[in-house]
C-alpha cells in the first residue's frame, strides 16, 4: 500500500514538474534578430522618401544640395548664395537665403529660394528650413516659386 502512495506522489511530482516547465517555457525570451542573418533584404513596398526639393534628385544630388543649403543658410555666414552640382547626373542648383534667421520653437529658421537645373528642366522653389541647436538644417516647407510679375 505504501508503494502505491509513493508511486502516486511520484506521478504527481512529475506532473507538477512538467507543468512548471511548460509554464516557465512561456516566459523565456531571446532576441529573434539573432536567428536572422544580417544579409536579409528588406521587402517593404514603401520607397525611401525623395528629396524634399524634388523627386527628380538622386540621393547623391540631395547630399550635395544639402551641403550647399547648410552653407547658404548659416546664420553666421555672409548671406550669399551657395551652389552645388553633380557631374555624374548633370543636375545642379543654388540656394539663396532670404531675410535674417529667426527662432521658432527653439530652432533657428531661415527662408530661402532654390534654383534647380534638373534633367526634366529648370525648377524654382521657395521654402523654409530650420535647425535645432547643434543639428543640421531640415526643410520644413517648400513650394514652387514664381517670379513676381
Amino acid at each position: 500500500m505504501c508503494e502505491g502512495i509513493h508511486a502516486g506522489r511520484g506521478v504527481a511530482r512529475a506532473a507538477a514538474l512538467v507543468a512548471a516547465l511548460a509554464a516557465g517555457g512561456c516566459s523565456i525570451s531571446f532576441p529573434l534578430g539573432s536567428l536572422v542573418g544580417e544579409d536579409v533584404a528588406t521587402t517593404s513596398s514603401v520607397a525611401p522618401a525623395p528629396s524634399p526639393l524634388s523627386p527628380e534628385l538622386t540621393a547623391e544630388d540631395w547630399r550635395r544640395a544639402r551641403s550647399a543649403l547648410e552653407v547658404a543658410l548659416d546664420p553666421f555666414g555672409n548671406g550669399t548664395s551657395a551652389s552645388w552640382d553633380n557631374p555624374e547626373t548633370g543636375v545642379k542648383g543654388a540656394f539663396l537665403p532670404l531675410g535674417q534667421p529667426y527662432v521658432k520653437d527653439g530652432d533657428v529658421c531661415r527662408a530661402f529660394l532654390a534654383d534647380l537645373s534638373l534633367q526634366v528642366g529648370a525648377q524654382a522653389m521657395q521654402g523654409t528650413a530650420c535647425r535645432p541647436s547643434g543639428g543640421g538644417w531640415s526643410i520644413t516647407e517648400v513650394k514652387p516659386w514664381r517670379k513676381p510679375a
Side-chain angles (χ1 to χ4, degrees):
M1 178 105 154
C2 287
E3 288 178 19
I5 293 174
H6 290 298
R9 285 185 188 165
V11 170
R13 285 183 183 163
L17 179 62
V18 168
L21 289 174
C26 293
S27 64
I28 294 174
S29 65
F30 56 93
L32 292 176
S34 65
L35 298 177
V36 180
E38 292 186 23
D39 294 334
V40 174
T42 303
T43 59
S44 173
S45 62
V46 178
S51 156
L53 288 176
S54 172
E56 302 297 321
L57 295 179
T58 66
E60 180 61 16
D61 293 335
W62 176 232
R63 186 190 70 75
R64 291 170 184 250
R66 191 173 46 241
S67 293
L69 180 70
E70 297 273 339
V71 171
L73 300 185
D74 184 352
F76 300 108
N78 58 14
T80 60
S81 67
S83 60
W84 62 275
D85 70 359
N86 185 349
E88 291 179 12
T89 62
V91 176
K92 59 185 174 180
F95 293 100
L96 176 66
L98 299 176
Q100 295 297 313
Y102 59 93
V103 176
K104 179 181 177 185
D105 299 328
D107 294 345
V108 175
C109 298
R110 196 166 194 180
F112 65 88
L113 291 179
D115 284 318
L116 305 174
S117 295
L118 306 170
Q119 293 174 346
V120 296
Q123 194 173 30
M125 308 297 288
Q126 68 181 34
T128 303
C130 294
R131 180 180 78 180
S133 178
W137 291 95
S138 295
I139 295 177
T140 58
E141 64 178 298
V142 65
K143 60 184 179 183
W145 181 74
R146 299 195 194 286
K147 293 181 181 179

